Amino acid sequence: MLYGRLDELRAYAADRLRRVLLESGGTPQARSERESFSQLYSDDLTKYDAAENGLCFGRIDVAPDESDGSTETDADATRHIGRIGILDETGDYETLLLDWRAPLARPFYLATTAQPDGVTRRRHIRSRSRTVTAVNDEYLDLAAAEAAGVVAASDGVAGESALLSALNAARTGHMNDIVETIQSEQDAIIRSEHKSVLVVQGGPGTGKTAVALHRAAYLLYTYRKQLDRAGVLIIGPNSTFLDYIGQVLPSLGETGVLLSTIGDLYPGVRATRTDSLEGGELKGSLSMLDVVKKAVRDRQELPSEPVTLTFDTYDLTLDRKTVSKARGRARSSRRPHNLARPIFVTAVVDALADQLAGIIGANVVGEGNLLSRQDIADIRDEMREDPEIIRATEELWPELTPQQVLADLWSSPERLASAAPDLTDEQRAALGRDGQGFGPADAPLLDELAELLGIDDSAEEEARRRRWHQQIEDARGALDILTGSASQEFEDELDSEILAAYDVIDAEQLAERQNVGRALTTAERAAGDRTWTYGHVIVDEAQELSAMAWRMLMRRIPNRWMTLVGDTAQTGDPAGTTSWSEILEPYVAQRWKRTELTVNYRTPSEIMAVAHDVLAAIDSSQALPRSVRESGFPPWSMRVEPAGLHAATAAAVADETGPGTVAVLVPAALVDEFSDLATDDVGVLTVHDAKGLEFDAVFVVEPGIIVSDSPRGLNDLYVALTRATQRLGVLHTSELPEVLGALAPRAQGDARQ
């Protein structure tokens, strides 16, 4: 019945979409409505397709006299829980399926034997496509359990069999949603009503990412009107991670969310370069504010020697004093560079016009100044169009783009030395570059420069206005041709009821029709607009963001409604943070709330026992999250000769014959050497690229180099060890770091245990 109703909904949406796409013409309002409906029905189809697999995953039986303080009908006493809500519109609008985000569905995740919340039985339903593959019942009421001839559930983890089945399943390279197995501490965060910054601190495998994504889906469901209009932004640590999580929200019925990295958040720029650790750390520090400000001011130049300009056969002089005065007037306006440029140009032109008036007056002996105010005004207008004067003002106060300023800064040792005099030669060398492109740490600097420069769009707006008027003229001409193309003899024979072209459409409507295209989603419009402000922002691996990245992000969320998930023990970026209060309080003071996830669902206890020593070395005050399972595979280490490291790693990977995914985590310098091991199921990655990901088996190569490569090398090692869901192996050519003493040594050539 559920799938029958889903098919009806899908067919209705497809039919309505087809009808909308076949419509044409109409008023601008009608076209706008048509585009909105087109987007609505397209989103519905996407939602219904995504809900196909695992549509209904649970059921709760609620005691009629205990539910919500009221008596329930038989239908209400049994609630089916699913990915989307479905009503039976053929009868009394009975709820066939409750959306997992609905308040009435919440007992499915929270009910326990100690606090059943009126639930007598909870059923977990697992399915593949439209076929049920398993059913698991938990009785939370002793009387109901005895009546059914079973023992009531007593575990503290809701749906343990369903949960463990999901945890032990082989990974596919894409993250699955946890909508069927959300636990109580996760549910509390997902549905939190905190309206400022909510920090979710959690160790490896605690489900931080899953909680963040499900919170996005919950907020879009609960605050649909507000967030559909403003949008939700999700920031991830790298593009691999975004691809990994990309299917989660569509599977929950949400498609209008923008996913981005910090490096790709600035419109029109993609991070294609990799900064050194020192360069990235410098670019992420707040000291760069003074550097980029100075870089902009350095482009507001004074001539070293007087400049001679010829205007209307007269030689005029543009000296340092004149330019300095004009520059001072423009700067005192406190406008951004590009928006202050017209003030500078006006001041220069005024000075040159006065100079010309003085020259002309001096040449007419005894007559005084023959130029009237209107004459001088006309001269100023001509000067504004004079190529030589335009060229001079552009050199002294050019119109700039953020990309231009930053590229010039990094590629010019002279400009960099002027803008960053407090940095050492070595630090400036770490910032400098040859070639094209920007790195992830450049995006916040581009954003800062955009604020300093401003955008003078008056010329673009005038060009749009002219194009629009030209389109109307072209449309009017086309209609004139259509109307006048018939011969007079034919027109005389026309019935008076036959319509001419002008009777059907006017020139403005025809011109507008040329501009009609597919309606952009909120996410698409936001992605192309640097000044867009979102309704909610979610940041994964938030501890990795630099101070400059936080400035960039905060501009996009003035209401400060954010969800940040991360683990300060896993901070690998030298520009990242180890203190939530240090990074947040400048923006929200004390108006932020910290929550914590304490249960490790990913990493088995055998591996976490090894990771414990690494965490203790990083921060002994942090508690290790509790693992809910064991894998049965002891983590091991193997020392090999340097010449045999690649072969030993290849043999270990080949020996990993189980289903699922494998990761070979290597220092950055070894990626190319080990790249031949990469396949569809095997990834060769740096620790940075593995952030937020998980694999069935992980092989960490040369952990000593990983530790020594970065000031936060131990944090990187902690991340590397905790990516595995089943097996962990460590291969090394020199002594192991002391923190890995809990690994079981394995001789080269030993078979997999």
Side-chain angles (χ1 to χ4, degrees):
M1 184 175 182
L2 277 177
Y3 279 105
R5 181 62 184 143
L6 181 66
D7 290 339
E8 291 175 2
L9 292 170
R10 184 187 285 116
Y12 174 79
D15 178 66
R16 297 305 303 169
L17 178 61
R18 179 182 61 82
R19 290 174 181 268
V20 166
L21 293 177
L22 288 175
E23 294 177 5
S24 61
T27 64
Q29 179 179 350
R31 288 195 297 277
S32 176
E33 290 175 354
R34 183 169 67 249
E35 291 164 1
S36 297
F37 280 119
S38 172
Q39 190 65 53
L40 172 66
Y41 294 129
S42 295
D43 289 346
D44 281 347
L45 282 173
T46 302
K47 176 175 66 176
Y48 298 145
D49 289 342
E52 172 78 22
N53 190 37
L55 174 62
C56 175
F57 55 79
R59 163 183 158 175
I60 52 176
D61 297 341
V62 183
D65 59 343
E66 297 181 25
S67 175
D68 304 320
S70 62
T71 302
E72 301 229 9
T73 65
D74 290 342
D76 290 333
T78 300
R79 305 174 190 168
H80 288 86
I81 318 297
R83 297 179 176 279
I84 60 174
I86 295 180
L87 292 175
D88 180 6
E89 297 183 1
T90 61
D92 297 326
Y93 287 88
E94 175 188 349
T95 299
L96 298 179
L97 190 65
L98 268 176
D99 191 298
W100 66 275
R101 297 166 287 192
L104 285 176
R106 196 173 190 191
F108 178 77
Y109 301 109
L110 299 186
T112 64
T113 51
Q115 292 182 310
D117 199 15
V119 177
T120 59
R121 180 176 64 169
R122 171 170 46 218
R123 169 169 290 179
H124 291 268
I125 304 168
R126 295 193 290 279
S127 61
R128 182 175 291 109
S129 187
R130 300 191 175 192
T131 302
V132 175
T133 59
V135 173
N136 173 248
D137 284 341
E138 297 173 90
Y139 286 89
L140 306 182
D141 178 81
L142 183 60
E146 291 175 346
V150 298
V151 178
S154 59
D155 61 84
V157 180
E160 184 172 294
S161 62
L163 174 63
L164 293 180
S165 176
L167 296 179
N168 289 319
R171 268 50 187 174
T172 63
H174 289 281
M175 184 179 184
N176 296 319
D177 63 63
I178 60 167
V179 66
E180 303 174 22
T181 56
I182 293 171
Q183 302 302 298
S184 58
E185 72 171 5
Q186 297 172 329
D187 184 84
I189 294 170
I190 290 170
R191 300 175 192 262
S192 172
E193 295 182 359
H194 187 66
K195 283 298 187 74
S196 186
V197 179
L198 180 67
V199 174
V200 184
Q201 166 77 30
T206 53
K208 298 184 297 296
T209 300
V211 166
L213 295 175
H214 287 69
R215 177 161 171 76
Y218 172 77
L219 293 176
L220 283 163
Y221 174 86
T222 307
Y223 303 97
R224 176 72 62 187
K225 185 176 181 180
Q226 174 185 347
L227 295 181
D228 264 354
R229 182 175 61 254
V232 173
L233 170 66
I234 296 180
I235 296 293
N238 51 58
S239 57
T240 305
F241 173 83
L242 295 182
D243 180 62
Y244 174 64
I245 68 171
Q247 299 304 312
V248 174
L249 284 170
S251 74
L252 298 173
E254 301 298 345
T255 58
V257 175
L258 177 62
L259 277 66
S260 179
T261 64
I262 282 291
D264 294 338
L265 189 56
Y266 189 87
V269 175
R270 290 291 174 265
T272 57
R273 297 175 63 91
T274 302
D275 288 310
S276 66
L277 287 176
E278 184 180 12
E281 184 176 10
L282 285 170
K283 290 180 180 181
S285 69
L286 292 179
S287 64
M288 292 306 297
L289 288 173
D290 291 333
V291 174
V292 294
K293 287 178 183 177
K294 185 66 165 58
V296 172
R297 292 176 73 86
D298 282 349
R299 305 303 287 265
Q300 301 162 2
E301 300 182 11
L302 298 177
S304 56
E305 298 291 339
V307 178
T308 300
L309 304 172
T310 301
F311 177 79
D312 196 20
T313 73
Y314 293 97
D315 287 338
L316 305 176
T317 301
L318 192 60
D319 58 20
R320 190 178 185 88
K321 181 178 179 181
T322 300
V323 176
S324 178
K325 185 177 180 180
R327 186 176 72 171
R329 185 183 299 179
R331 285 180 173 176
S332 65
S333 72
R334 309 189 73 82
R335 295 182 183 179
H337 172 90
N338 289 333
L339 301 184
R341 186 176 183 275
I343 299 174
F344 172 80
V345 172
T346 296
V348 169
V349 167
D350 287 348
L352 292 175
D354 290 344
Q355 187 180 146
L356 178 60
I359 293 173
I360 294 175
N363 290 341
V364 183
V365 179
E367 296 292 335
N369 194 338
L370 300 180
L371 300 179
S372 67
R373 290 184 178 180
Q374 185 58 49
D375 292 333
I376 296 177
D378 291 341
I379 289 173
R380 288 170 178 158
D381 290 341
E382 292 179 22
M383 283 183 169
R384 292 180 189 277
E385 303 295 329
D386 184 79
E388 195 170 351
I389 294 177
I390 290 174
R391 185 166 55 252
T393 55
E394 285 180 345
E395 289 176 357
L396 296 170
W397 192 298
E399 185 167 348
L400 300 168
T401 66
Q403 294 93 318
Q404 179 184 356
V405 173
L406 200 60
D408 290 348
L409 181 64
W410 295 154
S411 60
S412 170
E414 294 77 17
R415 289 191 184 279
L416 187 54
S418 175
D422 296 333
L423 298 183
T424 65
D425 291 340
E426 292 75 15
Q427 289 174 321
R428 286 196 288 268
L431 289 172
R433 65 157 203 202
D434 296 319
Q436 303 297 314
F438 296 103
D442 288 317
L445 302 181
L446 290 170
D447 204 59
E448 198 70 39
L449 282 166
E451 295 288 313
L452 295 171
L453 294 174
I455 300 175
D456 183 2
D457 59 358
S458 57
E460 184 179 344
E461 184 62 34
E462 175 63 19
R464 279 197 297 265
R465 188 185 65 80
R466 290 178 179 177
R467 285 196 301 270
W468 171 239
H469 283 296
Q470 185 59 51
Q471 284 178 310
I472 292 178
E473 288 301 315
D474 292 344
R476 185 174 290 118
L479 290 173
D480 288 342
I481 292 173
L482 288 173
T483 303
S485 60
S487 67
Q488 185 62 47
E489 181 181 353
F490 178 72
E491 289 181 1
D492 292 341
E493 295 176 357
L494 286 175
D495 188 284
S496 61
E497 293 183 359
I498 297 179
L499 299 177
Y502 273 113
D503 295 319
V504 177
I505 190 171
D506 62 24
E508 187 168 344
Q509 289 173 328
L510 181 59
E512 284 181 342
R513 186 171 295 183
Q514 309 310 309
N515 297 326
V516 173
R518 181 182 65 84
L520 296 179
T521 66
T522 297
E524 288 170 331
R525 286 185 285 122
D529 185 352
R530 192 194 70 83
T531 62
W532 189 276
T533 56
Y534 294 86
H536 192 81
V537 169
I538 291 175
V539 186
D540 203 320
E541 303 291 347
Q543 76 279 354
E544 300 295 331
L545 267 59
S546 69
M548 289 299 297
W550 283 112
R551 283 179 62 87
M552 180 185 193
L553 200 58
M554 289 298 180
R555 290 192 187 102
R556 287 153 174 78
I557 187 71
N559 67 6
R560 301 295 191 258
W561 191 19
M562 309 174 74
T563 302
L564 313 179
V565 298
D567 178 13
T568 52
Q570 298 185 61
T571 305
D573 194 318
T577 186
T578 57
S579 168
W580 296 118
S581 59
E582 180 181 310
I583 204 69
L584 292 175
E585 288 181 4
Y587 299 101
V588 296
Q590 303 296 321
R591 299 186 309 277
W592 64 281
K593 177 182 178 182
R594 171 177 166 146
T595 60
E596 192 154 1
L597 294 169
T598 60
V599 180
N600 188 333
Y601 302 100
R602 175 209 301 148
T603 316
S605 57
E606 298 95 331
I607 295 176
M608 290 309 292
V610 176
H612 175 271
D613 294 338
V614 182
L615 178 61
I618 296 170
D619 184 353
S620 59
S621 67
Q622 289 212 34
L624 201 70
R626 174 178 62 86
S627 295
V628 298
R629 64 191 178 93
E630 298 178 351
S631 68
F633 302 104
W636 52 268
S637 66
M638 179 188 297
R639 185 168 184 175
V640 299
E641 293 298 321
L645 180 62
H646 182 281
T649 305
V653 171
D655 194 40
E656 179 51 63
T657 56
T661 58
V662 177
V664 180
L665 303 184
V666 300
L670 298 182
V671 170
D672 290 341
E673 180 181 341
F674 285 79
S675 62
D676 62 300
L677 300 182
T679 66
D680 289 343
D681 296 325
V682 179
V684 177
L685 306 166
T686 64
V687 177
H688 176 269
D689 292 333
K691 280 272 184 179
L693 307 182
E694 60 184 16
F695 308 88
D696 293 276
V698 170
F699 299 100
V700 180
V701 178
E702 295 288 32
I705 298 178
I706 291 175
V707 171
S708 63
D709 269 355
S710 167
R712 289 178 171 161
L714 283 175
N715 302 65
D716 288 339
L717 181 60
Y718 184 58
V719 172
L721 296 175
T722 54
R723 297 307 93 195
T725 67
Q726 299 290 342
R727 299 178 174 87
L728 171 68
V730 175
L731 299 101
H732 57 107
T733 60
S734 57
E735 290 293 330
L736 274 178
E738 291 184 8
V739 292
L740 296 182
L743 288 169
R746 176 185 290 187
Q748 191 169 352
D750 282 359
R752 187 181 78 179
Q753 297 181 6

